[in-house]
Amino acid sequence: MYRLTALVTLLAIAFYFFTCINVSRSRTKTGVKVPATSGHPDFECAFRIQMNTLEWMPIFLPALWLFAIYVGDAVAAGIGAVWIIGRIVYFIGYSQAAAKRGPGFMIQGIAAIALWAGALGAVLRLV
């Protein structure tokens, strides 16, 4: 069973859902109408946070699950939790100023690379 990895997956999805709601709130607050994706700096930051999170999900989720399967559930979930923390730090930083997004991006990037590299290493050892 991979209960911890499943929990981290659900938390990552919940965070992404939160970013979607944040974009919707930002549209209302700034008056940026659908289908526009630009027009107000605050909206554009909220939109980029959501899109960047979406761009990383296909990297993070398969790596998370492959790591869990080939290395271990608890370790995968721990690294996955670090990824989510990185996304939260990214969200907070980018919401304040685009230049403050770096630390969160670095945290989540390192976590994703660790999952991918760990899964790759484990798979290659099995071949």
Side-chain angles (χ1 to χ4, degrees), residues 35-46:
T37 57
S38 64
H40 191 281
D42 291 344
F43 169 77
E44 290 175 16
C45 284

Side-chain angles (χ1 to χ4, degrees), residues 35-66:
T37 57
S38 64
H40 191 281
D42 291 344
F43 169 77
E44 290 175 16
C45 284
F47 183 73
R48 282 307 310 147
I49 292 166
Q50 179 198 12
M51 288 296 100
N52 189 264
T53 302
L54 179 61
E55 290 160 4
W56 276 88
M57 295 286 273
I59 297 166
F60 167 68
L61 289 173
L64 173 71
W65 278 95
L66 290 168

Side-chain angles (χ1 to χ4, degrees), residues 9-103:
T9 300
L10 293 169
L11 290 173
I13 293 167
F15 178 75
Y16 179 69
F17 184 64
F18 168 77
T19 67
C20 295
I21 292 168
N22 188 56
V23 168
S24 179
R25 276 192 246 153
S26 185
R27 278 189 186 283
T28 301
K29 181 180 169 188
T30 61
V32 176
K33 304 292 182 205
V34 172
T37 57
S38 64
H40 191 281
D42 291 344
F43 169 77
E44 290 175 16
C45 284
F47 183 73
R48 282 307 310 147
I49 292 166
Q50 179 198 12
M51 288 296 100
N52 189 264
T53 302
L54 179 61
E55 290 160 4
W56 276 88
M57 295 286 273
I59 297 166
F60 167 68
L61 289 173
L64 173 71
W65 278 95
L66 290 168
F67 190 102
I69 292 165
Y70 290 102
V71 178
D73 180 44
V75 178
I79 298 170
V82 170
W83 185 86
I84 294 169
I85 291 166
R87 292 310 311 173
I88 293 168
V89 171
Y90 180 86
F91 174 90
I92 292 167
Y94 207 153
S95 295
Q96 294 171 352
K100 294 183 178 183
R101 72 191 189 283

